[in-house]
Amino acid sequence: MSRTTLPRARTLALLASAAGLALVARGALRKRIDRSPLWPMPALEDPISGTGGRGGTRPAGIRMLVSGRDEPADGVVRLHLEAMDAGDLPPWRPGAHLDLVLPSGLVRQYSLCGDPADRASYTVATRVIEDGRGGSVEVRQQLHEGSEIEVRGPRNRFPLVDAQAYVFVAGGIGITPVLPMLRAAEEAGADWRLLYGGRSRATMPFLAEIEELGGPGRVTVAAEDEDGLPDLAGLLATAPEGAAVYCCGPEGLLGAVEGSLPDHCSLHVERFAPGAGAGGSGAFEVELRKTGATVTVAADSTILAAVKPLVKNVSYSCEQGFCGTCQQRVIEGEIDHRDELLTDSERGDSLLICVSRAGGERLVLDL
């Protein structure tokens, strides 16, 4: 082999090796994404609430204009959003949501309820909760036609799987992610049925469209002031073999569906808030190593709530374990992770203080 041929052969070998490593890395990344639809969702470089976050890459945002606003039901605000820059918006599938960065800086997640084929606009809706965490009230008071807002996403942690049959159960504003699923199931020619419950028909958005889409026999509307509580057990008992059951709504509704689910059906749920993250599993102590304080986290509270009075401008944003802004390093103690965001390596020595808890009686944080 000549002197000119030898370097070329080595170069080709190195290139082939690099290509092989890239394929392995890409495969590992795909497996991670498949296991957790929330990942990767990096923490915000500039935390929306508090300051001084752990760093990372700020998610790319899209500046959008509120091109339309209406109230499809009592206490429900629907926003139509159009991009301020030319070009198609990122695509989405039924079950996806947007992060809205509200004028105050709060970040809230709202399900997309428009048409995925529409690449020029997004549609979201929210029920206004007067004594909630403030996001829905701000939407009602601050976002009007002509308002500008930043959105991030879409992201999908509630994807519609392929199935021959579906049973959808929606409670109140939980209809928002389900509505595009109904359209998709109908378009695919799948066997589907819906139980849609609410306090009253006046408070239930999209009723006319849903009843027209499904017709008699497919759609059951259960307005509590007229019909009482719906017969979940009866509906699920007659679900077709192998049906995918989708449920979105308050925790009580989700618990009832989980308790009545037949063995021959698969369950897919989306909660208004993390099911076990806010509290539970008993109280524990948290030592703040930098601050020098020790606080008790009650069973019905969170680490974030306990440390906020002691740590000025502690970083947080969504308060539901979705964005990663509140990630903190753990110096000592067993961690009870209650998020789907952190990577396996991050779980070894850090946690999200808005939802995760101690696995034992004590944690020591680098705060």
Side-chain angles (χ1 to χ4, degrees):
M1 184 178 293
S2 69
R3 291 185 178 183
T4 58
T5 304
L6 183 58
R8 185 178 301 133
R10 287 176 176 171
T11 300
L12 291 174
L14 287 171
L15 289 173
S17 176
L21 289 173
L23 287 172
V24 171
R26 194 177 303 124
L29 176 64
R30 174 52 54 195
K31 288 180 181 178
R32 178 67 188 177
I33 292 173
D34 289 342
R35 287 199 304 270
S36 177
L38 277 174
W39 189 90
M41 191 187 295
L44 308 184
E45 184 175 357
D46 302 313
I48 297 303
S49 304
T51 59
R54 66 181 177 89
T57 303
R58 186 186 178 102
I62 305 171
R63 295 300 301 176
M64 303 198 76
L65 185 73
V66 179
S67 59
R69 166 184 157 144
D70 64 349
E71 297 187 9
D74 291 350
V76 175
V77 175
R78 175 169 53 183
L79 301 177
H80 302 281
L81 308 172
E82 293 185 0
M84 300 183 67
D85 298 326
D88 287 345
L89 291 169
W92 61 280
R93 293 182 178 181
H97 72 270
L98 288 179
D99 299 340
L100 268 62
V101 184
L102 302 178
S104 67
L106 288 174
V107 177
R108 293 294 183 262
Q109 292 74 34
Y110 298 112
S111 296
L112 286 157
C113 54
D115 182 0
D118 180 3
R119 299 292 299 279
S121 68
Y122 292 142
T123 301
V124 296
T126 180
R127 181 173 302 284
V128 179
I129 308 297
E130 297 291 347
D131 59 349
R133 297 186 301 130
S136 63
V137 172
E138 187 172 353
V139 168
R140 182 186 62 188
Q141 294 178 347
Q142 301 293 327
L143 297 184
H144 303 279
E145 193 167 337
S147 299
E148 295 183 15
I149 189 170
E150 179 185 350
V151 307
R152 298 171 189 161
R155 300 185 178 94
N156 200 336
R157 64 176 189 275
F158 192 42
L160 183 66
V161 300
D162 290 333
Q164 294 297 315
Y166 299 94
V167 176
F168 299 102
V169 180
I173 199 62
I175 193 63
T176 51
V178 171
L179 181 57
M181 295 182 180
L182 300 179
R183 301 188 192 115
E186 178 67 15
E187 193 172 311
D191 176 10
W192 66 269
R193 61 195 72 175
L194 165 70
L195 174 60
Y196 181 17
R199 294 192 304 273
S200 67
R201 293 181 71 92
T203 64
M204 300 167 68
F206 317 125
L207 262 181
E209 177 184 350
I210 289 169
E211 290 178 325
E212 180 179 352
L213 179 66
R218 277 192 169 182
V219 175
T220 300
V221 175
E224 192 171 342
D225 63 343
E226 300 175 8
D227 311 307
L229 296 176
D231 181 15
L232 280 172
L235 172 74
L236 295 173
T238 60
E241 184 77 25
V245 177
Y246 277 78
C247 182
C248 182
E251 193 63 32
L253 177 66
L254 270 62
V257 171
E258 290 169 341
S260 303
L261 187 74
D263 292 337
H264 63 265
C265 295
S266 62
L267 180 60
H268 310 262
V269 301
E270 182 167 64
R271 289 177 158 85
F272 292 161
S281 303
F284 58 95
E285 287 190 345
V286 173
E287 177 187 336
L288 309 179
R289 181 59 55 88
K290 292 179 180 177
T291 308
T294 298
V295 296
T296 298
V297 180
D300 61 351
S301 186
T302 65
I303 300 175
L304 174 61
V307 305
K308 275 198 298 185
L310 301 174
V311 181
K312 184 179 180 180
N313 292 326
V314 63
S315 302
Y316 66 96
S317 177
C318 73
E319 300 182 70
Q320 298 188 73
F322 297 154
C323 70
T325 305
C326 69
Q327 182 175 349
Q328 297 293 339
R329 190 168 74 89
V330 178
I331 299 174
E332 297 177 14
E334 182 182 351
I335 307 169
D336 177 8
H337 291 286
R338 300 191 178 188
D339 69 277
E340 296 182 52
L341 175 65
L342 299 183
T343 64
D344 293 339
S345 61
E346 289 174 318
R347 288 176 183 272
D349 64 354
S350 66
L351 84 169
L352 302 187
I353 62 173
C354 69
V355 292
S356 294
R357 305 180 66 78
E361 297 180 352
R362 183 179 177 86
L363 284 177
V364 180
L365 302 184
D366 189 23
L367 267 175

